[in-house]
Amino acid sequence: MNNKNYGNDVKLLADNIQELIRDSRENSIIDDNLWTVANIFPTYMYIYPDRNGYKELINSHKDNSYFDYLVRSEKIDFHLVRDDLSVYETIRVFGPYYENITGEKLITIYYPLYNNKVVESILLLDVKYDFLHEYISKYNYRNISALKLSSNGKEADLIFKIIAKQNNQENVYLPIMIDYFLFIVLYFSVTLFYFSVYFSVYFSYVLFVENKKDNLTGFYRKDFLKKIKQTNCVIVIDIDFFKKINDTYGHAVGDLVIGEVSKRIRNSIRKTDVAIRWGGEEFVVLFDNLFNIDNLTIKLDELLNIVSNEKIENLDVTISIGAFISLKKLNLSDAFIYADKALYKSKSTGRNKYTICHSLDK
């Protein structure tokens, strides 16, 4: 603007301004919120970007140059008495205000540049007013926090410090405080989120797991076995003379017996073992990754005892067990056939006992 006769100076100045803009935008806080950069001289100026309306603004100062206007209105010292003043003692800050031309809410920093103690030009930096608040908002979003800026109307000074210190890699501390309203909203939002996740997982568990369980025993239903392809240890359990219990005492008592037997079985197996109600009074338990026949024998003795030691509905109830164990995993259908044959042997040779079929040869 107003720079027709100052081509070389303006080109050099333009390069420096562009470098300043690049440096400012590399700042993680400033980012792209530097609105305008200008260097105002007594007889010409360079402004970037040259937004619509800036020319009319400059031409409105017909009696005096825009440079003289800034020196007078911002009370900038034309002559320095001292030459040891820091940047912070010579700058002027104005704002926040709404720029009439663009309607943008800005803070302007005037940085007088001196040569031999005489002001030669004024570097003007326009920065968007709300960008610090946006920076805090983005921080809150990334870190799930509830902070807000607490600058007490000193945003302009804070903005300048951020710009001035960026090249020296000095720390700039933002004055912040807890935004209690945001904290409450965040707390309830996070709580609601975790409750939503919890109930989603819970209902998924109920839908895909619990719904596959038998209501009377709490064991998985027979169709659950479709998900299991192989095993190395499986047992089949049958309640002895259960038909006689049903015929003599009725199906209601029979259901109570089934429920109590399954409860005792469940209390004697590991959480990682899979218990299945195979049908009626018959159960299947998968002891996956159990390879030691001695450990299996201990477990089978425990199952026999836990069912027979205490009466159920004043009845002496016993079970028979057939077991299969192998060093290598077999298809479940094959392993089940071996265990079922072992169960038949237990029942045909006296009941209230177990029979083990194994393939433990190395």
Side-chain angles (χ1 to χ4, degrees), residues 16 182 226 231 242 246 284 296 308 327 336:
N16 291 333
L182 180 59
K226 295 178 181 178
T231 186
F242 183 74
N246 263 344
V284 172
L296 176 60
S308 63
L327 288 176
F336 178 81

Side-chain angles (χ1 to χ4, degrees), residues 40-98:
I40 313 299
F41 289 83
T43 55
Y44 70 96
M45 64 192 68
Y46 179 85
I47 301 177
Y48 184 86
D50 187 4
R51 303 183 192 278
N52 292 332
Y54 279 1
K55 184 176 182 179
E56 289 75 8
L57 173 65
I58 303 306
N59 290 336
S60 65
H61 301 278
K62 296 180 179 179
D63 297 334
N64 298 289
S65 70
Y66 191 55
F67 174 85
D68 294 333
Y69 167 78
L70 292 181
V71 169
R72 183 177 65 256
S73 62
E74 300 303 325
K75 299 180 181 179
I76 295 173
D77 293 329
F78 194 86
H79 294 277
L80 282 181
V81 178
R82 297 164 48 195
D83 56 7
D84 60 347
L85 294 177
S86 69
V87 167
Y88 298 101
E89 294 173 286
T90 60
I91 67 168
R92 297 292 183 271
V93 177
F94 177 71
Y97 66 96
Y98 286 97

Side-chain angles (χ1 to χ4, degrees), residues 267-269 297-307:
N267 289 338
S268 65
I269 64 176
T297 299
I298 293 172
K299 180 60 63 178
L300 297 180
D301 282 326
E302 181 183 343
L303 284 168
L304 291 177
N305 292 331
I306 198 172
V307 172

Side-chain angles (χ1 to χ4, degrees), residues 162-204:
I162 292 171
I163 295 174
K165 292 185 176 185
Q166 66 177 351
N167 292 329
N168 295 329
Q169 296 182 342
E170 296 181 54
N171 293 326
V172 178
Y173 297 97
L174 299 181
I176 57 176
M177 61 184 295
I178 297 176
D179 186 337
Y180 288 101
F181 175 77
L182 180 59
F183 176 80
I184 294 172
V185 172
L186 182 64
Y187 174 80
F188 281 105
S189 298
V190 172
T191 303
L192 181 61
F193 170 76
Y194 281 111
F195 268 109
S196 300
V197 172
Y198 171 79
F199 283 112
S200 296
V201 172
Y202 174 76
F203 285 118
S204 296

